[in-house]
Structures are given as C-alpha cells and as structure tokens.
Amino acid sequence: INEYGDTVGFGGRTLDNDCKHAKYLNSPEGPLFNKSVLIYGLYYLKKQRLDACVVVEGYMDVVMLSQYGIDGAVACMGTSLTAEQVKKLKWHCNEITFCFDGDSSGKRATKKAYELILKFVDDHTRFRFIDLPEGYDPDSYCCEFGADKFKELCSNAIYLSEYIEEKLLSNTKAIPEQRVL
C-alpha cells in the first residue's frame, strides 16, 4: 500500500527455509511498485499521526512489531535506504530511528543510512540509531525480550551526533578537530 492507501504491489515470504529459493517474493518493479521510493507502513504511520517512526529492514519486521503493539514502524522494502524515502519520512516525522538487523548486512545498512542522512540534517528532524545485538532482528528481539524491552531500546536510541562519536570516531586517536594535517 502506498502512502495514500492504494494497493501498488504484493509481497510475501516463503514458508520453506530452503536457501535455493528467494526468501521474499514481490511484485515486479514498475511505475507503481518502485521499492526505492515506497516505504512500507507509511500509510498507517500517517493515519496514526505519529511524530516519530522506527525504520526497519523489511515488511515482516513492520508486521511483527505491530503484532507486539509497537506503533510507528516502517520499512525500506528490503532495499538500502534512499534519499526519496528519507524525504518522505522527514515530511511526516520529526524523529526517525533506524533499527536494522544485528547481522553484518544490518550493520552495513546502518552505516549507509548514516551516510545518506547527513545530507538531510536540519533543525527539524532528529535522527537516532539502535544497534541490535548480533543475530537479532526487531522481531526476534521482541520475541525473546518482550515489547517493553524493545520500546526501551527505542527510548534509549543514540542520536546522530552520538553515533558519529561512538561508532565512527572511536577508531581514531583524536577527533577531527584535533588531528594534525
């Protein structure tokens, strides 16, 4: 469903864990179903009139978080976050929290999101990050620890400036202003 409530495509998850086949089956890309523009769950986020959202990797994470009673989850449709998606999210939310899977691809997605949102930093939007433990996605984290613990993670998500300091500058001996060229 696009942001206006119109059905634009279909998707599903295979029930067989056989690695020889695709895990997700989606409608083919076209003028209406463009994964780099669509945000899964944006229509419902708009209806809830929430000022904050949690961006997760896939639509099944959104579905499962909803099952746990967690509102405001949206997904990038299984692709890397795009500038078009960030623009749409900024239009609807003042606080955007990224919570990608705790595996290596999720960590790469977080780093890409960080690099992308630097172009969108302003006085109106707060960007935050949640680092899930290795091996967890939002659904498995809620399943094991409960929705309240996930909500606590959201409340304690680090801000963009903290992310820069903690994740990116922690491997250097000095902050950029202290480095000698």
Side-chain angles (χ1 to χ4, degrees), residues 110-180:
T110 300
K111 188 173 186 291
K112 285 181 183 178
Y114 154 75
E115 292 168 352
L116 178 65
I117 64 171
L118 283 176
K119 300 173 192 172
F120 296 96
V121 172
D122 60 23
D123 292 339
H124 308 290
T125 309
R126 295 175 305 278
F127 295 103
R128 301 177 79 186
F129 295 88
I130 295 171
D131 277 333
L132 289 176
E134 181 70 36
Y136 287 94
D137 60 24
D139 173 31
S140 63
Y141 189 90
C142 285
C143 183
E144 186 167 334
F145 302 107
D148 287 339
K149 284 290 186 187
F150 187 81
K151 289 176 183 177
E152 189 177 311
L153 279 179
C154 292
S155 295
N156 295 324
I158 63 172
Y159 287 96
L160 176 62
S161 58
E162 295 171 297
Y163 179 82
I164 292 169
E165 184 179 342
E166 183 179 308
K167 301 295 180 187
L168 303 177
L169 297 179
S170 64
N171 295 330
T172 63
K173 294 184 191 288
I175 61 171
E177 290 85 357
Q178 294 174 328
R179 289 189 203 135
V180 177

Side-chain angles (χ1 to χ4, degrees), residues 9-167:
F10 297 94
R13 188 180 192 290
T14 57
L15 298 177
D16 184 6
N17 287 330
D18 185 1
C19 295
K20 291 182 265 182
H21 298 89
K23 188 175 176 181
Y24 292 95
L25 302 172
N26 297 313
S27 293
E29 294 259 351
L32 295 178
F33 185 69
N34 182 341
K35 291 192 291 186
S36 62
V37 175
L38 290 171
I39 300 169
Y40 184 82
L42 183 58
Y43 174 70
Y44 298 105
L45 180 74
K46 285 173 50 177
K47 281 182 72 167
Q48 294 169 343
R49 298 180 189 262
L50 298 175
D51 194 33
C53 68
V54 177
V55 181
V56 296
E57 284 187 58
Y59 53 80
M60 287 306 295
D61 289 322
V62 174
V63 169
M64 294 312 296
L65 288 176
S66 177
Q67 290 292 314
Y68 289 109
I70 297 167
D71 295 326
V74 295
C76 306
M77 297 296 297
T79 63
S80 293
L81 184 71
T82 66
E84 285 296 320
Q85 291 168 329
V86 174
K87 287 177 193 175
K88 284 184 180 184
L89 290 171
K90 281 178 55 73
W91 182 259
H92 298 287
C93 296
N94 289 334
E95 183 167 287
I96 303 168
T97 301
F98 298 94
C99 181
F100 297 132
D101 296 356
D103 58 10
S104 58
S105 64
K107 294 196 184 314
R108 282 192 304 275
T110 300
K111 188 173 186 291
K112 285 181 183 178
Y114 154 75
E115 292 168 352
L116 178 65
I117 64 171
L118 283 176
K119 300 173 192 172
F120 296 96
V121 172
D122 60 23
D123 292 339
H124 308 290
T125 309
R126 295 175 305 278
F127 295 103
R128 301 177 79 186
F129 295 88
I130 295 171
D131 277 333
L132 289 176
E134 181 70 36
Y136 287 94
D137 60 24
D139 173 31
S140 63
Y141 189 90
C142 285
C143 183
E144 186 167 334
F145 302 107
D148 287 339
K149 284 290 186 187
F150 187 81
K151 289 176 183 177
E152 189 177 311
L153 279 179
C154 292
S155 295
N156 295 324
I158 63 172
Y159 287 96
L160 176 62
S161 58
E162 295 171 297
Y163 179 82
I164 292 169
E165 184 179 342
E166 183 179 308
K167 301 295 180 187

